[in-house]
Amino acid sequence: HYPYAHARIRKMDTGKAEALPGVWAVIRYDDPEIDLSDPYQPVLGFMWFWHQNSILPDTADYQGVRLGALVVAESEEICDHALKLIGEGIEWEQLPFILDPERAIQPDAPLLHPERNSKNNIWKDAVILDQGDVEKGFASSDHVVEFSEIKNEDDVWAGVEPGCMVVQWVGDNLEFWYHGQRIGVDVNFISAPVYKNDKKRPQKVKAHTPFNGATFGGNAMGLACHLARYAAIAARKTMRPVKVVDDYSMSWEGNSFETGIARYKVGFNNDGTIVAIKIEI
């Protein structure tokens, strides 16, 4: 957890955490050997959440982003203690933030990701549906009304249980217990090479898929693939069985969609027939 809405790590000291009894490994955002790239990039052609193409970035773009360090230890209590020590030793660079989505897309707004778009904060301007001649429809309508819908309350997309992955290496083979709904895709992230200079993949993969509760499409930020990737990296780094569990706060905070504005323009006739609709979201 971090103390600012938008901030970048300038310096991070993990020495105290690494020296803590029971800590097996501390994986840092700036580890030169481990491949922390976003697994969705090569599969979907775009990145899911981490636009910096890292599942362990140095910058918090919003509340709930996992960043900085991943601690692998004998117990959750030791992990919590180690992470607290790391948090106390971080030097932050505070960055500007905007809570108004309309203000955020103005040309003079502070840029969230200049490496993605150096002109404004619009990542993608897409037309989802374009059917018929809408302007002609408005012109022929008996009435045209315009209204807006502004949404700024919590709307949480989270399952009834947190995400969980268990992974272990047995020699050159990989065995994992998968919790999620997309094992056909996520197995690629689990079995991908961990080290940048060592492209070794497991010779065999054994997957267990026990029953899990409803996840409503996902049980973690970026669905379950990032949890699977964390577990695979941690297990390869330590060569021990590793269990990664999302706590409930992360499951809820990471899946919320709080803000949005939609503008509607509707043309209709006296008999109630809707002639034309234009929606800008």
Side-chain angles (χ1 to χ4, degrees), residues 16-26 71-74 78-79 81-82 238:
K16 292 182 179 179
E18 291 168 335
L20 196 67
V23 171
W24 295 340
V26 175
V71 174
V72 189
E74 291 182 4
I78 296 176
C79 279
H81 188 188
T238 61

Side-chain angles (χ1 to χ4, degrees), residues 74-208:
E74 291 182 4
S75 67
E76 291 185 34
E77 291 76 15
I78 296 176
C79 279
D80 289 341
H81 188 188
L83 289 169
K84 183 178 180 181
L85 292 174
I86 294 173
E88 293 172 351
I90 292 180
E91 180 182 324
W92 296 94
E93 175 190 357
Q94 294 189 56
L95 302 171
F97 66 93
I98 299 174
L99 299 180
D100 181 352
E102 287 193 298
R103 171 75 181 89
I105 64 173
Q106 297 304 312
D108 61 341
L111 297 180
L112 185 64
H113 285 289
E115 76 280 2
R116 303 291 295 175
N117 185 346
S118 61
K119 297 180 179 179
N120 55 51
N121 286 313
I122 299 175
W123 179 30
K124 182 183 295 185
D125 191 355
V127 177
I128 305 302
L129 177 63
D130 187 2
Q131 182 174 314
D133 191 331
V134 177
E135 297 304 325
K136 183 178 179 180
F138 288 137
S140 65
S141 299
D142 294 331
H143 307 279
V144 176
V145 295
E146 296 185 54
F147 55 95
S148 297
E149 179 184 23
I150 301 175
K151 182 178 182 302
N152 56 14
E153 74 279 2
D154 284 349
D155 180 11
V156 177
W157 171 45
V160 295
E161 58 190 30
C164 178
M165 299 287 170
V166 177
V167 177
Q168 71 171 347
W169 285 80
V170 183
D172 291 337
N173 300 328
L174 187 66
E175 184 174 13
F176 65 93
W177 287 257
Y178 176 84
H179 177 261
Q181 295 179 322
R182 293 164 57 87
I183 188 171
V185 174
D186 294 344
V187 69
N188 300 304
F189 308 141
I190 297 173
S191 60
V194 170
Y195 296 104
K196 296 177 182 179
N197 297 324
D198 179 7
K199 299 301 182 182
K200 181 179 180 181
R201 301 177 69 106
Q203 297 298 306
K204 294 181 180 179
V205 176
K206 184 176 182 180
H208 304 268

Side-chain angles (χ1 to χ4, degrees), residues 28-35 196-197:
R28 296 172 54 102
Y29 70 93
D30 55 358
D31 191 310
E33 298 181 355
I34 295 179
D35 185 357
K196 296 177 182 179
N197 297 324

Side-chain angles (χ1 to χ4, degrees), residues 258-270:
E258 282 92 6
T259 61
I261 296 175
R263 295 186 180 86
Y264 300 85
K265 185 176 180 180
V266 181
F268 62 96
N269 291 335
N270 292 324

Side-chain angles (χ1 to χ4, degrees), residues 21-73:
V23 171
W24 295 340
V26 175
I27 298 168
R28 296 172 54 102
Y29 70 93
D30 55 358
D31 191 310
E33 298 181 355
I34 295 179
D35 185 357
L36 295 168
S37 59
D38 190 334
Y40 262 93
Q41 174 74 11
V43 175
L44 299 182
F46 62 88
M47 288 169 277
W48 184 256
F49 274 99
W50 288 270
H51 302 293
Q52 296 177 331
N53 195 22
S54 174
I55 60 173
L56 198 64
D58 64 349
T59 304
D61 292 340
Y62 56 90
Q63 182 182 5
V65 174
R66 308 181 189 94
L67 81 165
L70 172 66
V71 174
V72 189

